[in-house]
Structures are given as C-alpha cells and as structure tokens.
C-alpha cells in the first residue's frame, strides 16, 4: 500500500518521509560545539561532524581535545573522518609551497585517513562506523596523466563519502562514496529550507555542508541555522533528517534488498 507517496519498494526513507536531509559540519570548529550542536540538540536533530584529529602532540593530548566530540557522539551525532592532515590541492593560496594532493600517492592518502581513523576510534570508542568527507571536496591524488581518484580507498574503509555536487542525491543511483553536497555558507534560513523542500519534492537526499556558525569565512548565522532546524523539526514526519552514516546505511541496505 502506498501512503503519502512513501512506497517502500520505491524509496528507502522511513514511513511517510518523502526525502532525506543530512546536516554536515567540517573541520571541528569551536562554534560547532558552542552553537551548532546546542541548536541541533534543542530541535532533537542529529548531524555529522567531520574532524581532523590533532596531528601533533601525544596521545593524552589528542584524546583530551577530542573529548567534547565524544559527548556529541553519545548524544547521537556522527563524528566523521576528515583525514589527519586535511590534504588539498597545491593550487590553493593557503597551500603555498606546501605539498598537496598533486604530489601524494594512494598509499599516502590511505595512511593519512587510517591514522585519523585510529585516533577517532581510540578517543570515541562508542562509534565504530562512520563516513568520510573529502577535504576541500577534492577526491584525487596526483596530476595530469598520473591523476587518480581516491574514492576507491574511501569505499574500502567507510560506509559513505561526502564530496561536492549540484543536486541532491538520487538514492537509486548516487555513488555512496562520492555523495554530492551543497556548501551552504552565507545562505539564509529560507534558502536552506528550500533545499530541504526540494529533496522532499524529488524523493532525494540533500546533504548540506556547513563550516562555522558566525566563525571563519565560510560561516552561517545562528539565526539561519535555527530557522532550518525549526523547519526540519516541524516537518520530521515528512522529511527524514539523519547523520550521513545513518542515511548511507539505509540506502545501502535498501538497494541490497
Ligand atoms: Zn575541511
């Protein structure tokens, strides 16, 4: 029986839900602990927080710095892997003179990501399964004829991977290890609500990428985040909001079935 368009053979979304939304936050910024998580908690929503575990210092030091995120994990948020050293293209001005993706190998990127994973598992043992977000949305190593995708590396180790794209994800056809996301810096609450409504209208899964809340050059205003969260809480029977790992798992299992 088809109710509210949510035929289970046609869609992986929970009963009555028409589409899915994942709220993802990158780089472990302070405003995410101080502002984003309290707003999400207030509205009973769970997000995904992609961290780079501290690359420097001793084990006690990095465990201590990850401790606040372990509380977020216990409250239902996903703590995702964003690599250890956040490697990006050497073409970025902030990489001036530094070695970047163009000079890395697949083995090197895998070692970087797995060291981040080891630290996340040690500091946040309650969460054993997670997804990965490509630093700077870039999914390759090497350059020119030597350029290779590292999506297969991520697919071997994670439930899902978040990249960059132009639309919401089609649950039938999207690559779970190279999911498309919308960067939402400087967007209004109404614009972000529009992206969520579009997912419901199309039966798709919208992934929003946030950085700071009133912090840094890619920030959103807390009032806009709050407007989005209030909308998602009000429409939770129609739009499924869940961490990336939960939606990726659901889509994977639905495809297998
Ligand atoms: Zn990042």
């Amino acid at each position: 029986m088809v109710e509210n368009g949510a035929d289970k053979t046609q869609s992986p979304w929970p009963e009555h839900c028409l589409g899915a939304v994942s709220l993802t936050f990158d780089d472990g910024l302070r405003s995410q602990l101080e502002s984003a998580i309290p707003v999400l908690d207030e509205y009973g929503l769970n997000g995904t927080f992609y961290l780079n575990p501290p690359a420097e210092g001793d084990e006690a030091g990095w465990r201590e710095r990850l401790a606040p995120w372990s509380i977020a994990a216990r409250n239902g948020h996903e703590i995702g892997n964003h690599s250890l050293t956040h490697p990006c293209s050497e073409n970025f001005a902030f990489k001036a003179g530094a070695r970047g993706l163009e000079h890395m190998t697949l083995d090197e990127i895998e070692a970087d990501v797995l060291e981040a994973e080891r630290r996340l598992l040690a500091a946040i043992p309650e969460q054993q399964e997670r997804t990965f977000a490509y630093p700077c949305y870039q999914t390759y190593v090497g350059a020119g004829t030597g350029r290779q995708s590292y999506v297969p590396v991520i697919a071997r180790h994670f439930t899902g991977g978040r990249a960059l794209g132009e639309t919401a994800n089609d649950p039938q056809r999207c690559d779970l290890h190279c999911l498309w996301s919308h960067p939402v810096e400087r967007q209004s609450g109404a614009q972000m609500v529009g992206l969520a409504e579009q997912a419901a209208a199309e039966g798709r899964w919208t992934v929003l990428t946030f950085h700071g809340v009133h912090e840094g050059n890619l920030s959103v205003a807390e009032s806009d985040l709050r407007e989005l969260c209030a909308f998602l809480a009000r429409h939770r029977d129609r739009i499924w909001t869940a961490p990336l790992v939960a939606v990726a798992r659901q889509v994977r299992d639905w495809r297998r079935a």
Side-chain angles (χ1 to χ4, degrees):
M1 180 180 157
V2 179
E3 282 181 64
N4 197 15
D7 180 346
K8 290 301 96 184
T9 62
Q10 299 298 319
S11 127
W13 316 135
E15 202 175 1
H16 305 304
C17 284
L18 300 174
V21 172
S22 292
L23 308 179
T24 69
F25 298 79
D26 288 14
D27 303 338
L29 301 174
R30 201 162 56 146
S31 61
Q32 295 167 5
L33 286 168
E34 292 176 355
S35 177
I37 288 176
V39 170
L40 264 65
D41 287 348
E42 185 183 329
Y43 289 98
L45 301 170
N46 289 321
T48 298
F49 294 85
Y50 289 110
L51 305 190
N52 311 101
E56 311 292 332
D58 60 10
E59 176 151 349
W62 53 255
R63 275 178 184 264
E64 190 183 316
R65 284 173 59 190
L66 289 171
W69 301 97
S70 130
I71 297 169
R74 283 201 289 280
N75 288 333
H77 300 289
E78 176 189 3
I79 303 305
N81 186 319
H82 198 36
S83 80
L84 189 70
T85 63
H86 205 282
C88 292
S89 171
E90 294 170 9
N91 198 39
F92 279 116
F94 62 79
K95 293 291 287 189
R99 189 164 167 271
L101 289 172
E102 286 80 357
H103 288 91
M104 285 182 83
T105 65
L106 290 175
D107 285 346
E108 285 171 333
I109 195 87
E110 186 167 31
D112 186 292
V113 166
L114 291 183
E115 179 56 24
E117 190 61 21
R118 187 183 74 78
R119 293 177 187 219
L120 290 174
L121 284 169
I124 308 170
E126 51 273 73
Q127 199 188 305
Q128 294 289 314
E129 184 187 5
R130 77 187 85 248
T131 59
F132 177 82
Y134 296 91
C136 304
Y137 308 106
Q138 293 169 325
T139 59
Y140 62 85
V141 292
T145 55
R147 180 149 154 163
Q148 289 175 283
S149 169
Y150 81 88
V151 172
V153 172
I154 297 309
R156 279 201 295 278
H157 298 292
F158 296 92
T159 307
R162 197 212 65 204
L164 178 72
E166 294 175 30
T167 70
N169 297 284
D170 177 344
Q172 192 87 256
R173 297 181 191 84
C174 65
D175 183 346
L176 288 174
H177 295 94
C178 196
L179 291 161
W180 287 13
S181 78
H182 292 280
V184 291
E185 52 265 18
R186 294 182 287 275
Q187 286 206 5
S188 67
Q191 283 174 301
M192 294 189 282
V193 164
L195 292 171
E197 278 291 17
Q198 201 180 345
E202 296 174 346
R204 287 180 177 238
W205 170 22
T206 284
V207 180
L208 304 184
T209 298
F210 296 84
H211 284 80
V213 180
H214 296 297
E215 179 185 8
N217 60 342
L218 301 174
S219 73
V220 294
E222 187 180 306
S223 56
D224 289 317
L225 176 63
R226 184 174 286 281
E227 186 179 338
L228 171 67
C229 289
F231 169 85
L232 293 172
R234 226 171 25 246
H235 293 269
R236 64 171 77 244
D237 293 340
R238 204 165 63 78
I239 299 172
W240 183 38
T241 303
L244 206 89
V245 69
V247 183
R249 203 189 294 130
Q250 176 83 6
V251 169
R252 181 196 64 197
D253 294 347
W254 170 75
R255 285 182 182 174
R256 283 179 185 163

